[in-house]
């Protein structure tokens, strides 16, 4: 997956979508939002919750109906 994907020089990113990494990032945002709530940091909590939602929605584009699973995109 990570050996030889296209590199976008303009954005500085690899042009891939990794189900595991996206899922982990969304989960990290959720956990950090809980911490932000405990600390009374409502702006940060909202930002983290919003980020998690954006990434959860992006995962939907990786669903493969035929395979019945989420698939990485390269």
């Amino acid at each position: 997956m990570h050996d030889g994907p296209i590199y976008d020089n303009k954005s500085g990113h690899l042009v891939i979508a990794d189900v595991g990494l996206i899922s982990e990032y969304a989960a990290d945002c959720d956990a950090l939002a809980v911490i932000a709530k405990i600390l009374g940091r409502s702006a940060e909590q909202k930002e983290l919750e919003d980020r998690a939602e954006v990434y959860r929605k992006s995962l939907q584009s990786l669903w493969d109906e035929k395979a019945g699973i989420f698939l990485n995109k390269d």
Side-chain angles (χ1 to χ4, degrees):
M1 174 74 188
H2 297 94
D3 292 338
I6 297 170
Y7 180 76
D8 182 344
N9 287 318
K10 187 173 182 181
S11 71
H13 298 129
L14 296 176
V15 183
I16 60 171
D18 185 301
V19 174
L21 291 176
I22 293 171
S23 299
E24 185 176 0
Y25 183 75
D28 286 347
C29 288
D30 287 336
L32 289 169
V34 170
I35 293 169
K37 181 178 181 178
I38 291 167
L39 295 175
R41 306 289 297 259
S42 59
E44 289 86 351
Q45 176 188 352
K46 172 88 170 90
E47 179 183 346
L48 289 160
E49 290 169 345
D50 291 347
R51 282 187 194 186
E53 184 61 23
V54 166
Y55 280 84
R56 271 192 288 278
K57 285 181 180 178
S58 75
L59 277 174
Q60 297 311 307
S61 70
L62 301 178
W63 177 255
D64 184 291
E65 191 65 39
K66 185 176 177 183
I69 60 173
F70 291 91
L71 297 174
N72 296 334
K73 256 186 206 172
D74 180 6

